[in-house]
Amino acid sequence: MKALVYHGPKHVSVDTVPDPEIKEARDAIIRVTATAICGSDLHIYNGLIPDKQKFVVGHEFMGIVEETGGAVSNLKKGDRVVVPFPIGCGHCYFCQQAHLPTQCENSNPEFYGPEGDMTKGKGGALFGYTSLYGGYDGGQAEYVRVPYADFGPRKVPDNLKDEQVLFLTYIDELIEYVKQDKVTLNDIITHRLPLSEAAHGYKVFNEKKENCVKVVLQP
C-alpha cells in the first residue's frame, strides 16, 4: 500500500509499505477515506520529536472497516468509522474516565510513566507519533491497523460527509453536536490533496503558504 513515511526532519515521502495485518484479537483494519495533517504532525516534521525509526505518520483519520479480529463484536466489515487519535485499551483506570484515554496505562508500555521528560514517562500511545508514543503506524495511508478497535473507533452516520466528522476525537458529545448542526468542524480546511501529494502538503502547511490552515489528504 501507499503511505506517508517519516524519514527524518523535513523528510517525508509517500512510499510503498507492507499492508497492515491483524495482530491481536481486538484489532481492526481500516481502509482510510480521509486523513488530515495536524499541527502537531509538524512537531515531528520539524524534528522537535525525533525518532531514529521510519514510521507512517498521521493521527487524524477515518475510513471503512475492512477486517476485524475475533474479539471485536461491535464493528463489522463495511462500517464507517472515525478513529480518535489516542490509542486506549478501554479497561484501565484512565480509559474508564470520561475523557482520559490519552493517559491509557496499557497502550504504551515501554515509555509510559509519570516522569514526563524527553525520553520516558509519556502518556498513552498515539497513532503515527514516534516510538515514544507506542511506535504505532498512523493513518496517512491507504490502510491502517487499529488496536483496541472495540473501544476506540466511533461509527458515523452515512448522511455526514467525511470532512464533517474527520476531526472528531474521543469526545462522543461532539458527534451529536455535528449531527444537530450545533458545531462545524470542516470550515478550517483550505487544502485538499491526494495522498500522493502529501509531502507537498506538509511543506505548504509548515511554511503557511497559500493561506494554508488545514490540509486534508485523500488516499
Side-chain angles (χ1 to χ4, degrees), residues 15-43:
D15 300 343
T16 299
V17 301
D19 290 354
E21 298 178 348
I22 297 291
K23 295 182 179 179
E24 304 290 344
R26 296 178 66 194
D27 287 353
I29 303 299
I30 306 298
R31 175 173 58 84
V32 180
T33 56
T35 179
I37 303 174
C38 180
S40 55
D41 289 330
L42 297 182
H43 299 162

Side-chain angles (χ1 to χ4, degrees), residues 59-61 83-89 95 99-104 107 123-127 133 136 146-148 151-154 168-171:
H59 57 264
E60 292 181 340
F61 63 94
V83 182
F85 64 88
I87 300 174
C89 71
C95 286
H99 303 310
L100 292 176
T102 52
Q103 306 306 313
C104 175
S107 60
L126 305 174
F127 285 100
Y133 290 91
Y136 295 90
V146 176
Y148 307 119
F151 177 69
R154 269 56 172 175
L168 293 173
T169 60
Y170 51 86
I171 302 175

Side-chain angles (χ1 to χ4, degrees), residues 34-203:
T35 179
I37 303 174
C38 180
S40 55
D41 289 330
L42 297 182
H43 299 162
I44 299 172
Y45 180 74
N46 288 308
L48 299 178
I49 307 177
D51 200 325
K52 295 180 180 179
Q53 306 297 320
K54 298 177 183 179
F55 62 93
V56 179
V57 189
H59 57 264
E60 292 181 340
F61 63 94
M62 64 175 297
I64 307 297
V65 176
E66 289 291 313
E67 184 181 359
T68 58
V72 180
S73 59
N74 60 318
L75 297 177
K76 66 181 185 304
K77 181 179 174 64
D79 282 343
R80 184 164 168 254
V81 296
V82 60
V83 182
F85 64 88
I87 300 174
C89 71
H91 299 312
C92 72
Y93 170 81
F94 291 105
C95 286
Q96 290 296 308
Q97 308 310 304
H99 303 310
L100 292 176
T102 52
Q103 306 306 313
C104 175
E105 297 172 309
N106 295 315
S107 60
N108 187 20
E110 186 174 355
F111 293 104
Y112 183 84
E115 295 89 347
D117 64 17
M118 288 297 292
T119 60
K120 61 181 180 179
K122 301 300 181 181
L126 305 174
F127 285 100
Y129 217 73
T130 77
S131 299
L132 292 176
Y133 290 91
Y136 295 90
D137 281 334
Q140 290 170 13
E142 293 179 317
Y143 295 89
V144 61
R145 180 177 75 94
V146 176
Y148 307 119
D150 55 346
F151 177 69
R154 269 56 172 175
K155 294 180 185 179
V156 295
D158 291 337
N159 64 312
L160 295 177
K161 298 180 180 179
D162 281 7
E163 292 182 358
Q164 290 180 274
V165 293
L166 177 57
F167 306 124
L168 293 173
T169 60
Y170 51 86
I171 302 175
D172 293 324
E173 292 87 347
L174 279 176
I175 297 179
E176 295 304 316
Y177 292 154
V178 171
K179 289 179 182 178
Q180 299 167 23
D181 290 328
K182 291 183 178 180
V183 63
T184 300
L185 302 177
N186 59 330
D187 55 354
I188 61 172
I189 300 171
T190 55
H191 290 65
R192 297 167 176 85
L193 299 172
L195 179 64
S196 60
E197 297 181 19
H200 172 68
Y202 267 83
K203 183 176 177 62

